[in-house]
Amino acid sequence: MNDVMTPSQRADALEDKMMQDLENAIAVRSRLFLLAEADFAMPNGVKLQQEHPGAKMLMSDDPRLPKMPAKPTLIDFFKLRFAPPMHLLQSARHAKVAGMPEHVVLACLLHDIAVLGFIRSDHGYWGAQMVEPYVTEEVTWAIRAHQALRFYPDESFGYAYPDNYKAYFGEDYKPEPHIERAYKEAREHKWYGTARMICVHDLYSFDPDVHVELEEFTDIIGRNFRQPEEGLGFDSSPSAHMWRTLRQPTKYL
């Protein structure tokens, strides 16, 4: 007997588990989630309701997730939606101990939030878009630019190509043309040094024995992150929808 489940079978098993947990609400996974499993299916509301008579499509909070405040802050997302952020916390402390200005420390704290909360692919671009309405233009640009810069060493800043990238991607890995183009453009930009500092303080090998509390950066966040009064996701900014999606990731529409 073959005990190895296909992506479709795993998805079905997870769907059943979700329904048991949700009782009379049907939560669906996004198309992107399914593609990550090489599953080209598309959740069909009619079919799901036929399989679960009496259940409605989930259009509110997912009860399996921690309850978010009515007006969530960046710190709420760190604590209630992001994956464990120790990498970001260690990177930010590394920058802080090195005497970097607060906007650089904040950039280090936020540079991988797309990975921790949203998506891994092109995370520099996604992360920059998420925070753009709430931080300075320089911080936004630096977060976006680090996506390309991390693949290219710069000895003048003390940045070498990470050893674990060689293991992750292979010794012969060559970044895609759009990344190389972005790197060349960034080299000529007035904020190149800010983005490069993200790479310098981006800890590519993490220390499991070092624990950093988010509260260490509360004041820096307060002074450098423009928290909307309505709460992240409800301020009508160009990226508010991204924060709402993180808040309710299994909402049907």
Side-chain angles (χ1 to χ4, degrees):
M1 178 178 177
N2 185 3
D3 292 328
V4 179
M5 299 175 71
T6 66
S8 245
Q9 288 170 330
R10 287 199 302 273
D12 290 342
L14 181 57
E15 194 77 61
D16 290 340
K17 170 90 167 48
M18 289 169 70
M19 283 304 300
Q20 291 171 11
D21 293 343
L22 289 164
E23 296 182 353
N24 291 320
I26 301 174
V28 296
R29 296 176 305 284
S30 68
R31 177 78 175 128
L32 192 59
F33 183 103
L34 294 172
L35 283 176
E37 293 290 336
D39 186 342
F40 285 81
M42 181 67 187
N44 182 292
V46 172
K47 183 172 181 287
L48 287 170
Q49 285 192 310
Q50 289 173 345
E51 294 171 351
H52 307 283
K56 303 297 182 185
M57 309 311 295
L58 183 66
M59 290 295 286
S60 57
D61 292 342
D62 190 324
R64 298 164 303 167
L65 297 175
K67 181 77 173 175
M68 292 285 284
K71 298 180 179 181
T73 66
L74 176 64
I75 289 176
D76 291 323
F77 277 93
F78 261 95
K79 292 183 175 181
L80 301 174
R81 285 297 181 271
F82 292 170
M86 196 51 59
H87 163 55
L88 294 183
L89 297 174
Q90 287 188 13
S91 295
R93 176 186 276 180
H94 197 267
K96 185 178 178 183
V97 170
M100 292 292 104
E102 286 193 352
H103 71 281
V104 174
V105 175
L106 182 72
C108 290
L109 182 67
L110 299 178
H111 76 279
D112 278 354
I113 63 168
V115 174
L116 271 64
F118 203 73
I119 190 171
R120 183 175 289 276
S121 177
D122 273 336
H123 70 281
Y125 299 95
W126 286 104
Q129 186 179 2
M130 287 174 69
V131 302
E132 188 166 9
Y134 317 111
V135 299
T136 65
E137 185 180 353
E138 181 177 355
V139 169
T140 300
W141 186 89
I143 292 173
R144 183 182 297 113
H146 101 276
Q147 167 83 23
L149 294 185
R150 63 207 171 99
F151 291 111
Y152 300 89
D154 187 336
E155 293 182 2
S156 69
F157 279 85
Y159 179 75
Y161 187 77
D163 286 337
N164 63 349
Y165 275 18
K166 298 174 185 176
Y168 287 168
F169 313 127
E171 293 279 353
D172 58 347
Y173 174 73
K174 181 177 173 58
E176 297 159 283
H178 73 277
I179 292 293
E180 185 169 0
R181 202 161 51 241
Y183 161 69
K184 291 178 180 178
E185 291 171 358
R187 283 299 305 254
E188 305 303 318
H189 198 279
K190 62 182 178 180
W191 292 324
Y192 169 73
T194 305
R196 183 55 82 183
M197 281 298 101
I198 293 178
C199 301
V200 168
H201 298 290
D202 191 356
L203 304 182
Y204 295 89
S205 295
F206 314 129
D207 189 339
D209 297 322
V210 174
H211 184 81
V212 184
E213 294 288 347
L214 178 61
E215 284 69 24
E216 183 174 325
F217 307 100
T218 300
D219 291 343
I220 289 177
I221 291 171
R223 287 190 290 266
N224 297 274
F225 187 90
R226 296 186 291 270
Q227 171 65 38
E229 182 180 347
E230 306 90 337
L232 284 170
F234 303 104
D235 55 320
S236 301
S237 81
S239 65
H241 62 285
M242 301 175 76
W243 297 93
R244 289 197 302 271
T245 297
L246 282 176
R247 183 171 176 268
Q248 296 179 324
T250 53
K251 187 177 177 183
Y252 189 67
L253 289 175

